Structures are given as C-alpha cells and as structure tokens.
Amino acid sequence: MSFFIAGTGSALPEKVVSNDDLAQFLDTSDEWIYTRTGIRRRHVLTHERLNDLAIASAQTALADAGVAGAEVDLILCATLRGDTVTPSLACIVGEAIGSTAPAFDVNAACVGVLYCMEIADAFIVAGKAKTVLIVSAEAMSKLVDWTDRATCVLFGDGAGAMVLRAGSGRLAGELSTAPDSHVIRMPNIEGINSPYNQTQPEKLAIYMDGGEVYKFAVNAMGHNIEQVCARAGLTPAQIDWYLPHQANVRIIDASLRKYKIEKSKVLLNIAECGNMSATSVMVLLDEYAKKGTFHKGDKLLFVAFGGGLTSGAVIIEWKKD
Ligand code: UT7
C-alpha cells in the first residue's frame, strides 16, 4: 500500500518573456540561450502573488481528483521561498481550501516535489494519512540577479499540484544528497536590525557554477534512474514516460543517452517554461496528463537534481484512464 496520483493542476503567470525580450537589456541572444539550454520563453510574475498561483493549482488538482479540501490529511509544499516565511505556503493553501490538516513547506530545491512524494509515502504507509495534497510554487524571478546573464535567463515562475490517495501506484523512490554549499547557493534574508549581528550580509540572489552543476546533474540523474529502476524491478527501457527536471535539454539528453531511451518517451516543456525549480516536474505532469498522454498502467519516472546538492527519482504507475 502506498499512493496513486488522483488529480493534477497547474497555474502559470500571464506574462511571457522571450529570449529576444531578455536580449533587450542583457548581453545575450535567443541563439545562445536556445542552443545551450533548449529554453525559448518563460512565464514571469508581474501582478500575481505566488500564493494565488499555488492556491489555483491546488484547487484544480482537488477538482480533478474529486476530493474536497476538508478530506485532505496532509499538505506539503515544495518551494525555495513563498511570499511569506511564516505562514508557510502549505498553510496558506490549507486556509484557502478549508483544511485543518498538518501543512508544511519542504525545501529540497529542484527535487522538492520528489521529496514530498517520499514524505507522503511514509505518512500513508504509517497509516497517518489517506489523502495528501502536494503543491509546488516558485517565484524564481524574485530570486535571481537580473544583471547576471549566466543565471537569470535560465529560470521561470509557476505553480503546480497533485492529489495523492492511498492505494497502489508508487513503485519505488530514491533520494540522495551530495552536500556542497558552493556550487548552487542563495543566502537567506539577514535579520533586520540585530544590534548583535557582526556578519556581513551576502548578496541576495542565486549564485551558480553552471559547469559544476552540469557535471553533477548528468551523473546524479543517471545514477538515480538506475537505482530506482532496480528497486522497482524494471529496466530503464520498461519505463513509458520520463519526466525529468527541466533545467537544460543537454543535461537531460546526456543523462539518458546510455539507456538508449526513445526521445518520444522523454517529456519536455523547458522551451516554453524554462527551469521552474521544484515546480518544473509538476507543471510537466499536469500538462501531459491533461493532453491525455498517460494511460492506465503506464510507468512514469520522475528524476531531478538541484541545490544542496539534492537528487532523486520516483516511479509511479498511472491509475487513471
Ligand atoms: O536547477 C538547477 C539549476 N542549474 C542548472 O541547471 C545549471 C546547469 N548548467 C547549465 O545548464 C550550463 O552550464 C549553462 C547553461 C548555465 C551554461 O552553459 P555552458 O555551456 O556551461 O556555458 P559556460 O558557462 O561555459 O559559458 C560559455 C560562455 C562564457 O563566455 P566566455 O567566458 O567563454 O567568453 C559565458 O560568459 O557563455 C557566456 N555566457 C553567455 N553568453 C550569452 C553565459 N551566459 C550567457 C548568456 N548569453 N546568457
């Protein structure tokens, strides 16, 4: 007994920013961004609050699953930073959907949704929950330095959600970390006016050593795919759909190359959304679920890497028709 995915939802900001739009104020080009990453456009928050996108995606997922907010036993939210540190984004979603279930945020960077799935599995297996709502929302445009062309062109904003219900569906999960505090780093907001604080505040933006992240990502994704398939008693060729973290098409291609996976099995939306951190795999799942791509019995493999450095993979059998 574990869980199956009963419903999905997503919500993206209205504003779409193309690579050419970025080239208006940065020394970059559509050609450089597209050939190095596969990104053409991304959605960026303007008038919307992240909270509102998270709530909208949660409501869509609940409606899709036919579940009322009050039926939810646990709310988990994968985010680097919500609109407020407290209340957590998970509590804000809980209030909006009329739930009094335990609710908390999980920060495992871009792997956050996979960490949430494994936490949900543990709650369900322990008999502490039957219905879990996982939400992910990221305001990456508020975390990057818009003068740093090496990072700001990579990211986009968005929110997604899934409802999990107790039952068979999850086949295996694999999480790991390779602790490193330099390769991807974003400092937290310092105390406002402590008379005792003697440390120098760091610049509040994401710093990334792109080349090092690239190497880690290719190895970690390949390793996690092998491990999770072995746990599920499957070979990579028996997976019907790959849902990789949408950081860079070249990373995805390189990490899957040795398994000779057909390209049509590898789902992508990076061209239209960029890297939305934890939210990437959620929006990807919802998009392809709504297109009717998945059929009952299909095996979906989620795989991701991110700051921490974190990585992981989860295999789910699709239960909906
Ligand atoms: O969710 C996890 C988040 N992190 C990632 O996924 C990052 C993983 N890494 C990558 O995706 C790639 O390393 C990048 C896309 C970030 C960079 O690609 P690269 O092929 O590793 O390029 P590079 O860093 O080696 O830079 C090559 C050149 C440099 O110029 P010089 O030193 O050769 O003159 C950069 O300054 O490209 C320059 N450059 C740019 N040029 C135009 C860096 N960013 C840009 C840009 N436009 N936006």
Side-chain angles (χ1 to χ4, degrees):
M1 167 74 85
S2 179
F3 65 73
F4 64 93
I5 298 175
T8 62
S10 61
L12 296 170
E14 265 172 38
K15 175 128 185 105
V16 175
V17 176
S18 70
N19 293 342
D20 287 333
D21 293 334
L22 297 179
Q24 303 287 316
F25 64 92
L26 281 172
D27 180 14
T28 191
S29 63
D30 177 56
E31 201 269 332
W32 192 97
I33 300 170
Y34 185 67
T35 54
R36 298 276 173 150
T37 68
I39 299 168
R40 287 272 192 219
R41 285 168 278 277
R42 71 284 294 143
H43 292 255
V44 173
L45 288 161
T46 51
H47 57 284
E48 308 96 336
R49 304 288 299 175
L50 193 61
N51 288 348
D52 297 329
L53 291 187
I55 292 165
S57 69
Q59 286 167 335
T60 307
L62 289 167
D64 188 34
V67 167
E71 285 178 72
V72 172
D73 302 312
L74 174 68
I75 303 173
L76 302 168
C77 184
T79 188
L80 286 172
R81 207 181 74 186
D83 288 335
T84 48
V85 174
T86 190
S88 67
L89 197 44
C91 286
I92 284 165
V93 170
E95 182 181 34
I97 65 167
S99 167
T100 55
F104 57 94
D105 288 357
V106 173
N107 178 354
C110 307
V111 198
V113 167
L114 279 63
Y115 273 66
C116 288
M117 284 199 250
E118 290 299 274
I119 295 169
D121 174 58
F123 268 71
I124 290 170
V125 169
K128 291 178 186 244
K130 287 194 173 125
T131 303
V132 180
L133 172 65
I134 302 181
V135 182
S136 179
E138 300 280 26
M140 301 307 292
S141 64
K142 296 183 181 175
L143 306 180
V144 294
D145 174 354
W146 283 91
T147 64
D148 177 10
R149 65 178 184 170
T151 52
C152 72
V153 304
L154 304 175
F155 295 100
D157 300 334
M162 61 169 93
V163 176
L164 308 180
R165 301 212 86 169
S168 61
R170 174 193 170 279
L171 301 183
E174 162 81 18
L175 301 176
S176 53
T177 61
D180 182 306
S181 46
H182 303 289
V183 174
I184 306 179
R185 182 173 173 81
M186 189 191 153
N188 214 335
I189 304 162
E190 289 268 339
I192 302 159
N193 57 0
S194 164
Y196 303 106
N197 183 20
Q198 295 175 12
T199 60
Q200 287 298 316
E202 293 178 68
K203 189 169 146 195
L204 199 67
I206 292 179
Y207 161 81
M208 197 168 64
D209 181 336
E212 286 302 311
V213 179
Y214 195 104
K215 280 187 261 171
F216 166 74
V218 172
N219 285 330
M221 294 227 291
H223 178 73
N224 285 135
I225 289 167
E226 260 168 37
Q227 294 288 316
V228 80
C229 283
R231 281 194 189 181
L234 297 167
T235 62
Q238 289 175 300
I239 298 297
D240 297 292
W241 304 107
Y242 280 83
L243 291 91
H245 173 43
Q246 306 285 297
N248 186 324
V249 167
R250 291 189 299 146
I251 292 176
I252 295 169
D253 286 348
S255 58
L256 290 174
R257 195 168 297 137
K258 74 172 166 181
Y259 308 113
K260 299 190 170 51
I261 307 296
E262 289 161 41
K263 288 239 174 196
S264 58
K265 287 182 167 190
V266 181
L267 306 184
L268 300 172
N269 66 1
I270 186 171
E272 301 303 315
C273 296
N275 177 352
M276 294 180 286
S277 184
T279 304
S280 276
V281 292
M282 281 287 224
V283 173
L284 191 68
L285 174 73
D286 184 50
E287 188 182 322
Y288 283 90
K290 298 280 156 66
K291 279 184 193 164
T293 303
F294 312 131
H295 296 100
K296 198 168 180 176
D298 282 0
K299 292 175 184 62
L300 279 56
L301 188 151
F302 297 83
V303 59
F305 67 92
L309 297 164
T310 53
S311 67
V314 175
I315 302 176
I316 307 279
E317 190 172 294
W318 193 251
K319 293 290 175 184
K320 296 177 75 166
D321 275 323

